Amino acid sequence: MMWDFQWTLQILPDLLGALGTTVQITLLGYLIALVLGLLIAIARRAPFFGTVLHVATEFIRTTPLVIQVVFVFLLTPAHISPMTVGILVIGVHYAAYTAEVYRSGIEGVAKGQWEAARALSLPARRTWGAIVLPQAIRKVIPALGNYLIATFKDTPLLIAIGVSELLTEAQRIGSASFRVVEVYTVVGFLFLLVSIPSAILLRRLERRYAAV
């Protein structure tokens, strides 16, 4: 098979545009996962509510993401775009994972820190905001970063609901041109172009915070 570089240059703008959409989905979904995961981790310390959240997060974690995406999409009103559904589902799905990461960080805070806060009669908001969370989050930054790459690699699953991300665009171009091998090879390199620098950055963060 002869590689047609001129044709590759012609399809590259469309693929780069789709890559931009993929990155946007990743960042927005990941932001939801970070915020919602933290709220879940804090709420799980409540006795009854914590049990309910534990069951819910375990259900999400043990259910395939693609099934969640399709199921929620079928139940969502038609005026809500597939991209919005995909971002929300990815965000909630990975919030179940980041919640566990936050929980491990919170439980890693020394018991004496909690006792000191109670001895000083600090309000709960200040205990969490000034003492517990700064220590807990610093410890789990590398683990949280790993889920950013995982989120990026899972965005192609949104092809199931027709979101115009990178894999969807590759499928469209491949079907129209019958150059499936070439287009998917380019897509693979584009994913590597984003994921490898991200992985290097995360490794540096991991080494930095491991020494703290």
Side-chain angles (χ1 to χ4, degrees):
M1 181 187 66
M2 296 295 294
W3 192 281
D4 189 340
F5 289 98
Q6 185 176 359
W7 178 81
T8 302
L9 291 175
Q10 291 175 355
I11 67 170
L12 196 56
D14 291 336
L15 292 177
L16 288 174
L19 177 62
T21 301
T22 299
V23 171
Q24 180 183 1
I25 294 170
T26 300
L27 294 178
L28 291 175
Y30 184 66
L31 180 60
I32 292 173
L34 287 180
V35 176
L36 182 59
L38 179 59
L39 295 177
I40 292 173
I42 295 174
R44 277 190 58 179
R45 295 183 66 85
F48 174 75
F49 197 47
T51 302
V52 173
L53 285 175
H54 174 68
V55 173
T57 54
E58 285 302 308
F59 175 79
I60 292 173
R61 282 157 54 93
T62 55
T63 307
L65 176 57
V66 66
I67 300 298
Q68 297 173 15
V69 168
V70 174
F71 182 77
V72 174
F73 176 72
L74 293 176
L75 295 180
T76 302
H79 66 274
I80 300 179
S81 70
M83 182 172 172
T84 301
V85 173
I87 291 171
L88 291 175
V89 174
I90 285 178
V92 172
H93 180 83
Y94 275 100
Y97 289 91
T98 58
E100 287 299 308
V101 175
Y102 284 125
R103 185 180 64 83
S104 66
I106 291 170
E107 292 182 351
V109 175
K111 185 178 179 180
Q113 300 288 322
W114 296 90
E115 294 174 348
R118 285 194 293 269
L120 294 172
S121 300
L122 294 179
R125 179 179 298 180
R126 183 161 178 78
T127 299
W128 282 96
I131 298 176
V132 177
L133 291 183
Q135 297 181 64
I137 292 176
R138 185 174 64 247
K139 295 178 181 179
V140 300
I141 284 178
L144 291 175
N146 291 332
Y147 285 117
L148 174 60
I149 296 179
T151 303
F152 177 66
K153 292 191 296 184
D154 274 349
T155 52
L157 295 177
L158 299 187
I159 192 175
I161 58 174
V163 176
S164 297
E165 46 73 55
L166 187 53
L167 191 61
T168 308
E169 185 64 19
Q171 185 182 60
R172 183 190 68 79
I173 294 174
S175 299
S177 64
F178 299 101
R179 295 174 176 266
V180 178
V181 175
E182 292 100 316
V183 69
Y184 279 98
T185 300
V186 175
V187 167
F189 278 113
L190 290 177
F191 268 101
L192 289 174
L193 187 65
V194 176
S195 60
I196 290 179
S198 300
I200 292 173
L201 177 60
L202 290 174
R203 295 292 81 77
R204 290 182 176 177
L205 284 174
E206 185 173 356
R207 288 194 297 268
R208 175 180 177 182
Y209 285 97
V212 176

mmCIF file with all atom_site columns, all heavy atoms in Angstrom, residues 13-31:
data_model
loop_
_atom_site.group_PDB
_atom_site.id
_atom_site.type_symbol
_atom_site.label_atom_id
_atom_site.label_alt_id
_atom_site.label_comp_id
_atom_site.label_asym_id
_atom_site.label_entity_id
_atom_site.label_seq_id
_atom_site.pdbx_PDB_ins_code
_atom_site.Cartn_x
_atom_site.Cartn_y
_atom_site.Cartn_z
_atom_site.occupancy
_atom_site.B_iso_or_equiv
_atom_site.pdbx_formal_charge
_atom_site.auth_seq_id
_atom_site.auth_comp_id
_atom_site.auth_asym_id
_atom_site.auth_atom_id
_atom_site.pdbx_PDB_model_num
ATOM 1   N N   . PRO A 1 13 ? -6.976  18.809 8.411  1.00 0.00 ? 13 PRO A N   1
ATOM 2   C CA  . PRO A 1 13 ? -7.745  19.863 9.087  1.00 0.00 ? 13 PRO A CA  1
ATOM 3   C C   . PRO A 1 13 ? -9.025  19.351 9.737  1.00 0.00 ? 13 PRO A C   1
ATOM 4   O O   . PRO A 1 13 ? -9.369  19.759 10.856 1.00 0.00 ? 13 PRO A O   1
ATOM 5   C CB  . PRO A 1 13 ? -8.049  20.854 7.954  1.00 0.00 ? 13 PRO A CB  1
ATOM 6   C CG  . PRO A 1 13 ? -6.936  20.650 6.980  1.00 0.00 ? 13 PRO A CG  1
ATOM 7   C CD  . PRO A 1 13 ? -6.656  19.186 7.013  1.00 0.00 ? 13 PRO A CD  1
ATOM 8   N N   . ASP A 1 14 ? -9.731  18.443 9.045  1.00 0.00 ? 14 ASP A N   1
ATOM 9   C CA  . ASP A 1 14 ? -10.963 17.894 9.617  1.00 0.00 ? 14 ASP A CA  1
ATOM 10  C C   . ASP A 1 14 ? -10.667 17.067 10.866 1.00 0.00 ? 14 ASP A C   1
ATOM 11  O O   . ASP A 1 14 ? -11.398 17.145 11.871 1.00 0.00 ? 14 ASP A O   1
ATOM 12  C CB  . ASP A 1 14 ? -11.678 17.016 8.586  1.00 0.00 ? 14 ASP A CB  1
ATOM 13  C CG  . ASP A 1 14 ? -12.255 17.829 7.440  1.00 0.00 ? 14 ASP A CG  1
ATOM 14  O OD1 . ASP A 1 14 ? -12.514 19.042 7.647  1.00 0.00 ? 14 ASP A OD1 1
ATOM 15  O OD2 . ASP A 1 14 ? -12.450 17.268 6.351  1.00 0.00 ? 14 ASP A OD2 1
ATOM 16  N N   . LEU A 1 15 ? -9.582  16.287 10.814 1.00 0.00 ? 15 LEU A N   1
ATOM 17  C CA  . LEU A 1 15 ? -9.221  15.462 11.960 1.00 0.00 ? 15 LEU A CA  1
ATOM 18  C C   . LEU A 1 15 ? -8.744  16.314 13.130 1.00 0.00 ? 15 LEU A C   1
ATOM 19  O O   . LEU A 1 15 ? -9.044  16.010 14.285 1.00 0.00 ? 15 LEU A O   1
ATOM 20  C CB  . LEU A 1 15 ? -8.144  14.456 11.566 1.00 0.00 ? 15 LEU A CB  1
ATOM 21  C CG  . LEU A 1 15 ? -8.588  13.358 10.598 1.00 0.00 ? 15 LEU A CG  1
ATOM 22  C CD1 . LEU A 1 15 ? -7.418  12.461 10.234 1.00 0.00 ? 15 LEU A CD1 1
ATOM 23  C CD2 . LEU A 1 15 ? -9.717  12.525 11.202 1.00 0.00 ? 15 LEU A CD2 1
ATOM 24  N N   . LEU A 1 16 ? -8.021  17.385 12.831 1.00 0.00 ? 16 LEU A N   1
ATOM 25  C CA  . LEU A 1 16 ? -7.566  18.275 13.906 1.00 0.00 ? 16 LEU A CA  1
ATOM 26  C C   . LEU A 1 16 ? -8.746  18.987 14.560 1.00 0.00 ? 16 LEU A C   1
ATOM 27  O O   . LEU A 1 16 ? -8.759  19.200 15.780 1.00 0.00 ? 16 LEU A O   1
ATOM 28  C CB  . LEU A 1 16 ? -6.563  19.290 13.363 1.00 0.00 ? 16 LEU A CB  1
ATOM 29  C CG  . LEU A 1 16 ? -5.178  18.746 12.995 1.00 0.00 ? 16 LEU A CG  1
ATOM 30  C CD1 . LEU A 1 16 ? -4.329  19.834 12.339 1.00 0.00 ? 16 LEU A CD1 1
ATOM 31  C CD2 . LEU A 1 16 ? -4.476  18.196 14.238 1.00 0.00 ? 16 LEU A CD2 1
ATOM 32  N N   . GLY A 1 17 ? -9.740  19.350 13.747 1.00 0.00 ? 17 GLY A N   1
ATOM 33  C CA  . GLY A 1 17 ? -10.943 19.957 14.312 1.00 0.00 ? 17 GLY A CA  1
ATOM 34  C C   . GLY A 1 17 ? -11.675 18.993 15.234 1.00 0.00 ? 17 GLY A C   1
ATOM 35  O O   . GLY A 1 17 ? -12.138 19.372 16.310 1.00 0.00 ? 17 GLY A O   1
ATOM 36  N N   . ALA A 1 18 ? -11.752 17.727 14.804 1.00 0.00 ? 18 ALA A N   1
ATOM 37  C CA  . ALA A 1 18 ? -12.384 16.705 15.640 1.00 0.00 ? 18 ALA A CA  1
ATOM 38  C C   . ALA A 1 18 ? -11.563 16.439 16.895 1.00 0.00 ? 18 ALA A C   1
ATOM 39  O O   . ALA A 1 18 ? -12.111 16.177 17.964 1.00 0.00 ? 18 ALA A O   1
ATOM 40  C CB  . ALA A 1 18 ? -12.558 15.416 14.835 1.00 0.00 ? 18 ALA A CB  1
ATOM 41  N N   . LEU A 1 19 ? -10.224 16.536 16.758 1.00 0.00 ? 19 LEU A N   1
ATOM 42  C CA  . LEU A 1 19 ? -9.363  16.373 17.932 1.00 0.00 ? 19 LEU A CA  1
ATOM 43  C C   . LEU A 1 19 ? -9.634  17.477 18.944 1.00 0.00 ? 19 LEU A C   1
ATOM 44  O O   . LEU A 1 19 ? -9.646  17.238 20.161 1.00 0.00 ? 19 LEU A O   1
ATOM 45  C CB  . LEU A 1 19 ? -7.893  16.393 17.516 1.00 0.00 ? 19 LEU A CB  1
ATOM 46  C CG  . LEU A 1 19 ? -6.873  16.310 18.651 1.00 0.00 ? 19 LEU A CG  1
ATOM 47  C CD1 . LEU A 1 19 ? -7.013  14.995 19.410 1.00 0.00 ? 19 LEU A CD1 1
ATOM 48  C CD2 . LEU A 1 19 ? -5.444  16.453 18.110 1.00 0.00 ? 19 LEU A CD2 1
ATOM 49  N N   . GLY A 1 20 ? -9.869  18.690 18.457 1.00 0.00 ? 20 GLY A N   1
ATOM 50  C CA  . GLY A 1 20 ? -10.207 19.799 19.347 1.00 0.00 ? 20 GLY A CA  1
ATOM 51  C C   . GLY A 1 20 ? -11.490 19.523 20.117 1.00 0.00 ? 20 GLY A C   1
ATOM 52  O O   . GLY A 1 20 ? -11.579 19.803 21.319 1.00 0.00 ? 20 GLY A O   1
ATOM 53  N N   . THR A 1 21 ? -12.477 18.936 19.425 1.00 0.00 ? 21 THR A N   1
ATOM 54  C CA  . THR A 1 21 ? -13.725 18.566 20.095 1.00 0.00 ? 21 THR A CA  1
ATOM 55  C C   . THR A 1 21 ? -13.476 17.493 21.149 1.00 0.00 ? 21 THR A C   1
ATOM 56  O O   . THR A 1 21 ? -14.022 17.538 22.254 1.00 0.00 ? 21 THR A O   1
ATOM 57  C CB  . THR A 1 21 ? -14.743 18.045 19.067 1.00 0.00 ? 21 THR A CB  1
ATOM 58  O OG1 . THR A 1 21 ? -14.997 19.058 18.095 1.00 0.00 ? 21 THR A OG1 1
ATOM 59  C CG2 . THR A 1 21 ? -16.049 17.653 19.748 1.00 0.00 ? 21 THR A CG2 1
ATOM 60  N N   . THR A 1 22 ? -12.617 16.527 20.811 1.00 0.00 ? 22 THR A N   1
ATOM 61  C CA  . THR A 1 22 ? -12.285 15.454 21.751 1.00 0.00 ? 22 THR A CA  1
ATOM 62  C C   . THR A 1 22 ? -11.615 16.007 23.005 1.00 0.00 ? 22 THR A C   1
ATOM 63  O O   . THR A 1 22 ? -11.934 15.611 24.126 1.00 0.00 ? 22 THR A O   1
ATOM 64  C CB  . THR A 1 22 ? -11.354 14.428 21.071 1.00 0.00 ? 22 THR A CB  1
ATOM 65  O OG1 . THR A 1 22 ? -12.031 13.865 19.939 1.00 0.00 ? 22 THR A OG1 1
ATOM 66  C CG2 . THR A 1 22 ? -10.970 13.319 22.037 1.00 0.00 ? 22 THR A CG2 1
ATOM 67  N N   . VAL A 1 23 ? -10.681 16.932 22.808 1.00 0.00 ? 23 VAL A N   1
ATOM 68  C CA  . VAL A 1 23 ? -9.993  17.545 23.952 1.00 0.00 ? 23 VAL A CA  1
ATOM 69  C C   . VAL A 1 23 ? -10.983 18.346 24.794 1.00 0.00 ? 23 VAL A C   1
ATOM 70  O O   . VAL A 1 23 ? -10.928 18.312 26.036 1.00 0.00 ? 23 VAL A O   1
ATOM 71  C CB  . VAL A 1 23 ? -8.841  18.444 23.466 1.00 0.00 ? 23 VAL A CB  1
ATOM 72  C CG1 . VAL A 1 23 ? -8.258  19.246 24.624 1.00 0.00 ? 23 VAL A CG1 1
ATOM 73  C CG2 . VAL A 1 23 ? -7.745  17.595 22.814 1.00 0.00 ? 23 VAL A CG2 1
ATOM 74  N N   . GLN A 1 24 ? -11.903 19.047 24.134 1.00 0.00 ? 24 GLN A N   1
ATOM 75  C CA  . GLN A 1 24 ? -12.907 19.824 24.867 1.00 0.00 ? 24 GLN A CA  1
ATOM 76  C C   . GLN A 1 24 ? -13.786 18.907 25.719 1.00 0.00 ? 24 GLN A C   1
ATOM 77  O O   . GLN A 1 24 ? -14.055 19.198 26.898 1.00 0.00 ? 24 GLN A O   1
ATOM 78  C CB  . GLN A 1 24 ? -13.785 20.597 23.874 1.00 0.00 ? 24 GLN A CB  1
ATOM 79  C CG  . GLN A 1 24 ? -14.864 21.445 24.537 1.00 0.00 ? 24 GLN A CG  1
ATOM 80  C CD  . GLN A 1 24 ? -15.759 22.139 23.528 1.00 0.00 ? 24 GLN A CD  1
ATOM 81  O OE1 . GLN A 1 24 ? -15.591 21.990 22.319 1.00 0.00 ? 24 GLN A OE1 1
ATOM 82  N NE2 . GLN A 1 24 ? -16.726 22.884 24.008 1.00 0.00 ? 24 GLN A NE2 1
ATOM 83  N N   . ILE A 1 25 ? -14.237 17.807 25.141 1.00 0.00 ? 25 ILE A N   1
ATOM 84  C CA  . ILE A 1 25 ? -15.043 16.839 25.891 1.00 0.00 ? 25 ILE A CA  1
ATOM 85  C C   . ILE A 1 25 ? -14.258 16.312 27.081 1.00 0.00 ? 25 ILE A C   1
ATOM 86  O O   . ILE A 1 25 ? -14.777 16.186 28.195 1.00 0.00 ? 25 ILE A O   1
ATOM 87  C CB  . ILE A 1 25 ? -15.482 15.681 24.973 1.00 0.00 ? 25 ILE A CB  1
ATOM 88  C CG1 . ILE A 1 25 ? -16.442 16.191 23.902 1.00 0.00 ? 25 ILE A CG1 1
ATOM 89  C CG2 . ILE A 1 25 ? -16.129 14.557 25.787 1.00 0.00 ? 25 ILE A CG2 1
ATOM 90  C CD1 . ILE A 1 25 ? -16.749 15.182 22.819 1.00 0.00 ? 25 ILE A CD1 1
ATOM 91  N N   . THR A 1 26 ? -12.989 15.996 26.835 1.00 0.00 ? 26 THR A N   1
ATOM 92  C CA  . THR A 1 26 ? -12.136 15.458 27.897 1.00 0.00 ? 26 THR A CA  1
ATOM 93  C C   . THR A 1 26 ? -12.014 16.432 29.055 1.00 0.00 ? 26 THR A C   1
ATOM 94  O O   . THR A 1 26 ? -12.198 16.064 30.220 1.00 0.00 ? 26 THR A O   1
ATOM 95  C CB  . THR A 1 26 ? -10.732 15.140 27.344 1.00 0.00 ? 26 THR A CB  1
ATOM 96  O OG1 . THR A 1 26 ? -10.841 14.180 26.300 1.00 0.00 ? 26 THR A OG1 1
ATOM 97  C CG2 . THR A 1 26 ? -9.820  14.606 28.442 1.00 0.00 ? 26 THR A CG2 1
ATOM 98  N N   . LEU A 1 27 ? -11.696 17.682 28.759 1.00 0.00 ? 27 LEU A N   1
ATOM 99  C CA  . LEU A 1 27 ? -11.456 18.666 29.810 1.00 0.00 ? 27 LEU A CA  1
ATOM 100 C C   . LEU A 1 27 ? -12.727 18.979 30.596 1.00 0.00 ? 27 LEU A C   1
ATOM 101 O O   . LEU A 1 27 ? -12.698 19.068 31.829 1.00 0.00 ? 27 LEU A O   1
ATOM 102 C CB  . LEU A 1 27 ? -10.879 19.949 29.206 1.00 0.00 ? 27 LEU A CB  1
ATOM 103 C CG  . LEU A 1 27 ? -9.480  19.821 28.593 1.00 0.00 ? 27 LEU A CG  1
ATOM 104 C CD1 . LEU A 1 27 ? -9.037  21.148 27.984 1.00 0.00 ? 27 LEU A CD1 1
ATOM 105 C CD2 . LEU A 1 27 ? -8.462  19.350 29.628 1.00 0.00 ? 27 LEU A CD2 1
ATOM 106 N N   . LEU A 1 28 ? -13.852 19.118 29.888 1.00 0.00 ? 28 LEU A N   1
ATOM 107 C CA  . LEU A 1 28 ? -15.102 19.430 30.586 1.00 0.00 ? 28 LEU A CA  1
ATOM 108 C C   . LEU A 1 28 ? -15.569 18.234 31.433 1.00 0.00 ? 28 LEU A C   1
ATOM 109 O O   . LEU A 1 28 ? -16.002 18.399 32.575 1.00 0.00 ? 28 LEU A O   1
ATOM 110 C CB  . LEU A 1 28 ? -16.184 19.818 29.570 1.00 0.00 ? 28 LEU A CB  1
ATOM 111 C CG  . LEU A 1 28 ? -15.967 21.154 28.863 1.00 0.00 ? 28 LEU A CG  1
ATOM 112 C CD1 . LEU A 1 28 ? -17.041 21.376 27.800 1.00 0.00 ? 28 LEU A CD1 1
ATOM 113 C CD2 . LEU A 1 28 ? -15.970 22.306 29.849 1.00 0.00 ? 28 LEU A CD2 1
ATOM 114 N N   . GLY A 1 29 ? -15.474 17.033 30.859 1.00 0.00 ? 29 GLY A N   1
ATOM 115 C CA  . GLY A 1 29 ? -15.848 15.847 31.622 1.00 0.00 ? 29 GLY A CA  1
ATOM 116 C C   . GLY A 1 29 ? -14.953 15.640 32.832 1.00 0.00 ? 29 GLY A C   1
ATOM 117 O O   . GLY A 1 29 ? -15.416 15.285 33.916 1.00 0.00 ? 29 GLY A O   1
ATOM 118 N N   . TYR A 1 30 ? -13.663 15.906 32.638 1.00 0.00 ? 30 TYR A N   1
ATOM 119 C CA  . TYR A 1 30 ? -12.703 15.738 33.734 1.00 0.00 ? 30 TYR A CA  1
ATOM 120 C C   . TYR A 1 30 ? -12.946 16.768 34.833 1.00 0.00 ? 30 TYR A C   1
ATOM 121 O O   . TYR A 1 30 ? -12.836 16.449 36.021 1.00 0.00 ? 30 TYR A O   1
ATOM 122 C CB  . TYR A 1 30 ? -11.291 15.872 33.186 1.00 0.00 ? 30 TYR A CB  1
ATOM 123 C CG  . TYR A 1 30 ? -10.201 15.627 34.197 1.00 0.00 ? 30 TYR A CG  1
ATOM 124 C CD1 . TYR A 1 30 ? -10.020 14.369 34.758 1.00 0.00 ? 30 TYR A CD1 1
ATOM 125 C CD2 . TYR A 1 30 ? -9.334  16.645 34.582 1.00 0.00 ? 30 TYR A CD2 1
ATOM 126 C CE1 . TYR A 1 30 ? -9.011  14.139 35.684 1.00 0.00 ? 30 TYR A CE1 1
ATOM 127 C CE2 . TYR A 1 30 ? -8.324  16.420 35.497 1.00 0.00 ? 30 TYR A CE2 1
ATOM 128 C CZ  . TYR A 1 30 ? -8.166  15.166 36.044 1.00 0.00 ? 30 TYR A CZ  1
ATOM 129 O OH  . TYR A 1 30 ? -7.166  14.941 36.965 1.00 0.00 ? 30 TYR A OH  1
ATOM 130 N N   . LEU A 1 31 ? -13.298 17.991 34.458 1.00 0.00 ? 31 LEU A N   1
ATOM 131 C CA  . LEU A 1 31 ? -13.602 19.024 35.443 1.00 0.00 ? 31 LEU A CA  1
ATOM 132 C C   . LEU A 1 31 ? -14.810 18.612 36.290 1.00 0.00 ? 31 LEU A C   1
ATOM 133 O O   . LEU A 1 31 ? -14.805 18.767 37.525 1.00 0.00 ? 31 LEU A O   1
ATOM 134 C CB  . LEU A 1 31 ? -13.881 20.354 34.745 1.00 0.00 ? 31 LEU A CB  1
ATOM 135 C CG  . LEU A 1 31 ? -14.220 21.542 35.643 1.00 0.00 ? 31 LEU A CG  1
ATOM 136 C CD1 . LEU A 1 31 ? -13.074 21.841 36.601 1.00 0.00 ? 31 LEU A CD1 1
ATOM 137 C CD2 . LEU A 1 31 ? -14.547 22.775 34.808 1.00 0.00 ? 31 LEU A CD2 1
#
